[in-house]
Amino acid sequence: MASTTQARFPCLAMVRYAMAAAVTLLAIAVIALVINAVLRSEDVRLSVNNGFIGADAGERRHQPAATQVTLKKAKATKLHVILIAKNPGGRTKIDCNDTTVSLFDLQPPYGLIGELELGNFTVPPQTAITLQKPLKDANASYIWDNYPGEVRFSVMVQVNANVTSFPLGKKTQTVAQSYTCQPVTVGLMDNEWIYASDQVDCRAHADDRMHGASS
Ligand SMILES: *[C@@H]1O[C@H](CO)[C@@H](O)[C@H](O)[C@H]1NC(C)=O
Ligand SMILES: *[C@@H]1O[C@H](CO)[C@@H](O)[C@H](O)[C@H]1NC(C)=O
Ligand SMILES: *[C@@H]1O[C@H](CO)[C@@H](O)[C@H](O)[C@H]1NC(C)=O
Ligand SMILES: *[C@@H]1O[C@H](CO)[C@@H](O)[C@H](O)[C@H]1NC(C)=O
C-alpha cells in the first residue's frame, strides 16, 4: 500500500509540473500572437472617388444642347484624379511615401495613359484623407487613337507607395506596396454625374508591379 502512495506522488508532481510548463508555453504563445498582431504593418485602404476620373481637354466650347460632347483631340488632356486614403485602425498613423499613380488602359493595347506623383503623405489613425492632383501630361494621342469619338473608357489605376506604420510608436519595416483599382471610368468632367459609381476600392499587393512594363 505504502509503495503505491509513494509512486503516485512523484507521478502527480510530474503531471503538475508538465501542466505548469504547458500553461507557461501557452501564455508565451498568446503574448507572441498579441505582439505580432499589434506590430503587424497595418495597411492603408485606398479607393478612387466615385470610380471616375474627369477629363478636361483644354479650351471649352459651349455646344448646342443636342450635340454629344466627346473626348476631343487635344494637345493636352488634364485628368482629375481623386483618391481617398483611409486608415480605419486606431493604433497607428501610416506613412505613404514616394507615392506614384499610373493609369493603364483596360483594353488592348493596354497602354500607359499617364502618371502622377503624389509624393509623401501621412494618414492619421481613424481618418480618411482625400488626395487630388491633376494629371497634366496624359497621353492625349493615345486616347485619341484608341477612343475617337467616345465619351468615356475604362482604366486600371495603379498606386505604388512605400508604406510604414508605427504601432505602439514603433516604426515597422517599410513595405513597397502596389494597389490596383479597377474598373475606373475616364470621361468628360461634365459627365461625372452620369457615369459616377460608388468608390472603387483598390486591392493591395506586396510589391507586385503587375503592369510595370506595358509592352
Ligand atoms: C515619409 O515622409 C515624411 C515626410 O516627407 C518623413 O517625415 C518620414 O520620415 C518618411 N517616412 C519614412 C518611413 O521614410
Ligand atoms: C519623401 O520620403 C522619402 C523617404 O521615403 C524621403 O527620402 C524624401 O525626401 C521625402 N520627400 C519629401 C518631399 O519630403
Ligand atoms: C502615347 O501613346 C502613343 C500610342 O498611341 C505612343 O506611340 C506614344 O509613345 C505615347 N507617348 C508617351 C509619351 O508615352
Ligand atoms: C520607395 O519607392 C521608390 C519609388 O516608388 C523606390 O525607388 C524606392 O526604392 C523605394 N524605397 C524603399 C525603401 O522601398
Side-chain angles (χ1 to χ4, degrees), residues 93 95-98 120-122 162-164 166 171-172 174:
K93 67 167 183 170
D95 275 4
C96 298
N97 286 8
D98 318 295
N120 299 351
F121 59 89
T122 299
N162 297 325
V163 179
T164 313
F166 303 81
K171 181 173 179 284
T172 57
T174 299

Side-chain angles (χ1 to χ4, degrees), residues 97-100 160-162 174-176 209:
N97 286 8
D98 318 295
T99 310
T100 57
N160 290 319
N162 297 325
T174 299
V175 179
R209 312 219 157 155

Side-chain angles (χ1 to χ4, degrees), residues 192-203:
E192 176 156 2
W193 63 277
I194 305 173
Y195 300 120
S197 65
D198 290 339
Q199 288 180 11
V200 169
D201 293 329
C202 306
R203 288 185 46 215

Side-chain angles (χ1 to χ4, degrees), residues 158-209:
Q158 182 177 309
V159 182
N160 290 319
N162 297 325
V163 179
T164 313
S165 60
F166 303 81
L168 305 174
K170 190 175 183 292
K171 181 173 179 284
T172 57
Q173 205 182 351
T174 299
V175 179
Q177 287 274 24
S178 179
Y179 304 84
T180 53
C181 339
Q182 62 183 348
V184 171
T185 303
V186 175
L188 293 164
M189 291 279 274
D190 295 344
N191 288 348
E192 176 156 2
W193 63 277
I194 305 173
Y195 300 120
S197 65
D198 290 339
Q199 288 180 11
V200 169
D201 293 329
C202 306
R203 288 185 46 215
H205 320 264
D207 197 31
D208 171 16
R209 312 219 157 155

Side-chain angles (χ1 to χ4, degrees), residues 75-79 113-115 135-141 143:
K75 282 206 191 81
T77 298
K78 205 201 291 180
L79 299 177
I113 287 155
E115 278 181 307
L135 193 164
K136 285 179 193 139
D137 55 351
N139 191 336
S141 68
I143 297 172

Side-chain angles (χ1 to χ4, degrees), residues 58-132:
E59 85 286 359
R60 187 176 293 233
R61 264 189 229 116
H62 287 285
Q63 309 259 343
T67 315
Q68 198 176 34
V69 183
T70 60
L71 294 167
K72 289 226 181 47
K73 185 161 188 149
K75 282 206 191 81
T77 298
K78 205 201 291 180
L79 299 177
H80 296 261
V81 179
I82 306 178
L83 295 179
I84 296 163
K86 270 191 212 131
N87 176 2
R91 288 193 292 244
T92 172
K93 67 167 183 170
I94 299 174
D95 275 4
C96 298
N97 286 8
D98 318 295
T99 310
T100 57
V101 179
S102 313
L103 267 55
F104 293 95
D105 191 359
L106 264 185
Q107 284 184 45
Y110 307 109
L112 172 65
I113 287 155
E115 278 181 307
L116 173 64
E117 303 222 331
L118 279 180
N120 299 351
F121 59 89
T122 299
V123 195
Q126 292 185 314
T127 304
I129 62 173
T130 301
L131 305 151
Q132 53 180 313

